[in-house]
Each structure stands twice: as structure tokens, then as C-alpha cells.
Amino acid sequence: MAKLINGKEVAASVRAKVKEETEKFTNETGIQVGLAVIIVGDNPASRIYVNNKKKACEEVGFKSYEYALPAETTQDELLELVRTLNNDETVHGILCQLPLPAHIDEKTVINEINPEKDVDAFHPVNVGKIMIGDYNFLPCTPAGCMELIHSTGISVKGKNCTVVGRSNIVGKPMAMLLLHESGTVTVCHSKTVDLKEECKRADILVAAVGVPKLIKGDMIKEGAVVIDVGMNRLPDGKLCGDVDFEQASEKASYITPVPGGVGPMTIAMLMKNTLTAAKNMAAKGK
Ligand code: NDP
């Protein structure tokens, strides 16, 4: 029976460390770390995420600035706000909650954020830095998954790692982080011919698909570490991962639950990135 990887606990310890370092940083420099969160429109899921991010900011001692803009905000108005925040020295991190309304091009908005304040690590400059392994920030969800893998004490080095999903925000950077730690990495997607075989070879399996319970017990290698990024809302309102948790628990050595696995890590890593941004800016005298 698999051991549970407790994302709530690991995330709490990341936040506690950020809080401690923030206190030290603020005492030494007099700078209060600031995170600006932009939300456009009234997507209820986005509202929950933004509220959670604000709460986490308070907990670690950051100031959070919320910009809640109406759904009809134009792209130019949003870009203007991003430029203002880029030049605001009390703001160290800028986050634009996705998805944006259809009339706004997400790529254009992300490209406008100063890469030094891009705490989501979505800007092409930061994406490129991750590729070459010389980065300031890691994208929050994959970085959180790495922390969870580390928490098991199992090394990635030399392991067969399979990532299911190749999105820019989870699958691709996840594969890169595993590669940086010398895993032998396979990336699967909707055109993968034999998903079961690819998964069964994995010592470390990361599922980031968005299909409830896609990964069944017979797709999992005995003793594998299973990280389930999926957050799928079932018709009964319950949250469910991409992995069939009951079946997978019979085979895996370690597994993340949904909820309470990867989810809490994403915000904890956002706090870590924001502190890093503030420290980097302070070091450059900005
Ligand atoms: P995307 O929809 O952007 O990407 C999904 C990926 O899964 C694509 O690469 C797609 O392949 C692949 N895929 C879809 N169906 C299959 C299939 N049947 N077999 C194999 N691969 C398949 O999703 P995200 O990466 O943004 O998110 C993935 C999941 O993670 C979602 O449930 C999301 O809610 C969750 N998530 C959770 C976060 C957290 O904090 N816990 C943060 C971000 C996401 P193709 O490229 O070929 O289309």
C-alpha cells in the first residue's frame, strides 16, 4: 500500500520557511515584499485562486495588491496596468490570473510582464532560462511537484520518469525539471500510441492531463512514485485527480492525493518565487 505524500504539510513547511526568510529580509532591508494579482472578469474558480493567493501573502508577511478588473476591460487597458506595475517598486511579483476573457490575448499580456517580476515563470525569457537550467523562478506547479518528489527522499537521478501531458505550464516544464535532475524522461500526450506501456516503465509518474482517473492501477509500475497534478471537478462537485487513486495506491510506493497533494504546493511555490524576485531586485538596487 502506497504512502501518502501530504501536500498540505510540505506546502506549510515551504510557507513557514518563506515567512521566516521574509521577516529577515524585511528587517535587513526595510522592504516589504509585494505581490500584485490581476483578475479580469468574474470566473468563480479564478476568484477562489486569487483569494487563496491573497491569504497566503498575508500569512508569509507580503503585501498583496489586488486588481479586479471588469470582464469588458480592453487588452490595451490591461497592458497599461501591467506597465504601471512593472514600474512600481513596491511590487516585486506580478501575476495575471488565467484564463483571461476571450478578447484578450494571454500571450501578449504575459510578454508585457517584466521577466524579473514574472513569478509564474510564464514569460518566454523565463521559459528559456528553465530550458538551459539557469533560472530565477520555476513555474509554480512543476516546482511544487519536484518538492513533493524530494519529500519522499527518492532521488530522480537515473530513474525512468514519465510525464503525461505537455502543456506549457505543467507538462513541458515538469519534464525539463526531471531532466535537470538526471531522470530519463518520457513525455506523453493525446497522440501517444501506447500510454499504458509508457506509464508502466515509470519509476516516477507525473499525470497532468485533465481527464479524471485516466491512469489506472495496471498502468503503474510496482513501487513507483505517483504525482497527480489533475484537478477535475466531477458532476457531484467533488474534486478528482487524473489518477485512479484507489487502484494506484495498491501499486505505488508513494502517491499524492487529490485534493491535498499538488494543489497546496502551487501557491507555496508562488510565495517562494515572489520572495526570490524581491531579493533579486534588492540585490540589484532596484
Ligand atoms: P492542458 O489541457 O493544457 O494539457 C493537457 C495535456 O494532457 C495535453 O498535453 C494533452 O495532450 C494531454 N492529454 C489529454 N488527453 C490525453 C489522453 N487521453 N492521454 C494522454 N494525454 C492526454 O492542461 P494543464 O496542463 O493546464 O492541466 C492539466 C491538469 O492539471 C488539469 O486537471 C488542471 O486542472 C490541473 N492543474 C492543476 C494545478 C494545481 O495547482 N494542482 C495547476 C495547473 C493545472 P495534447 O497536447 O496532445 O493535446
Side-chain angles (χ1 to χ4, degrees):
M1 194 68 184
K3 287 191 188 127
L4 215 59
I5 305 176
N6 188 332
K8 281 190 194 160
E9 260 174 43
V10 181
S13 79
V14 171
R15 290 197 309 272
K17 187 147 184 272
V18 172
K19 183 178 179 181
E20 193 187 310
E21 286 182 22
T22 301
E23 220 171 86
K24 190 163 168 264
F25 173 75
T26 302
N27 284 341
E28 282 170 8
T29 61
I31 297 169
Q32 183 172 28
V33 181
L35 175 68
V37 182
I38 305 170
I39 174 170
V40 186
D42 46 15
N43 179 326
S46 293
R47 174 39 65 198
I48 294 171
Y49 292 136
V50 167
N51 287 348
N52 289 341
K53 285 167 188 173
K54 279 167 60 182
K55 233 189 279 168
C57 281
E58 278 165 31
E59 185 193 330
V60 300
F62 297 172
K63 183 149 179 56
S64 69
Y65 305 91
E66 182 185 312
Y67 295 87
L69 308 180
E72 49 294 353
T73 301
T74 66
Q75 179 165 303
D76 282 344
E77 284 166 337
L78 180 54
L79 292 175
E80 195 46 47
L81 171 61
V82 170
R83 284 183 211 113
T84 304
L85 295 172
N86 281 343
N87 293 321
D88 184 339
E89 60 184 29
T90 64
V91 170
H92 305 96
I94 302 171
L95 182 152
C96 192
Q97 187 65 47
L98 303 180
L100 290 169
H103 65 279
I104 299 179
D105 180 42
E106 289 181 356
K107 221 158 74 179
T108 306
V109 176
I110 289 167
N111 287 359
E112 197 64 33
I113 297 174
N114 175 353
E116 293 185 1
K117 297 190 178 189
D118 169 41
V119 285
D120 262 336
F122 291 166
H123 191 287
V125 165
N126 288 321
V127 174
K129 280 170 170 271
I130 291 157
M131 187 84 172
I132 56 176
D134 169 26
Y135 39 75
N136 293 325
F137 313 118
L138 292 176
C140 301
T141 302
C145 293
M146 293 307 290
E147 290 277 337
L148 294 177
I149 295 168
H150 295 155
S151 77
T152 66
I154 291 171
S155 164
V156 173
K157 191 172 169 184
K159 299 286 189 323
N160 284 335
C161 306
T162 298
V163 179
V164 190
R166 57 172 166 181
S167 71
N168 288 332
I169 61 165
V170 190
K172 281 186 207 161
M174 187 70 225
M176 205 49 66
L177 300 190
L178 290 164
L179 188 60
H180 287 327
E181 293 197 11
S182 300
T184 301
V185 184
T186 303
V187 183
C188 301
H189 44 78
S190 67
K191 310 295 183 292
T192 295
V193 174
D194 194 342
L195 184 63
K196 182 173 169 182
E197 269 318 301
E198 302 298 347
C199 290
K200 265 176 79 174
R201 284 193 289 121
D203 304 303
I204 298 173
L205 177 65
V206 181
V209 189
V211 177
K213 299 192 183 186
L214 175 73
I215 311 293
K216 305 290 181 204
D218 64 357
M219 299 167 79
I220 290 169
K221 182 177 176 178
E222 200 71 47
V225 175
V226 178
I227 307 291
D228 189 353
V229 183
M231 277 215 282
N232 310 297
R233 189 69 67 184
L234 297 175
D236 65 4
K238 284 195 182 138
L239 266 186
C240 158
D242 293 339
V243 176
D244 187 318
F245 182 83
E246 279 71 33
Q247 291 183 11
S249 300
E250 300 290 328
K251 302 284 283 295
S253 58
Y254 289 91
I255 188 166
T256 59
V258 177
V262 175
M265 293 304 294
T266 300
I267 293 184
M269 302 316 284
L270 174 70
M271 298 299 113
K272 190 173 169 185
N273 280 351
T274 307
L275 177 60
T276 302
K279 283 183 176 175
N280 289 346
M281 275 176 240
K284 288 184 179 173
K286 287 186 185 172

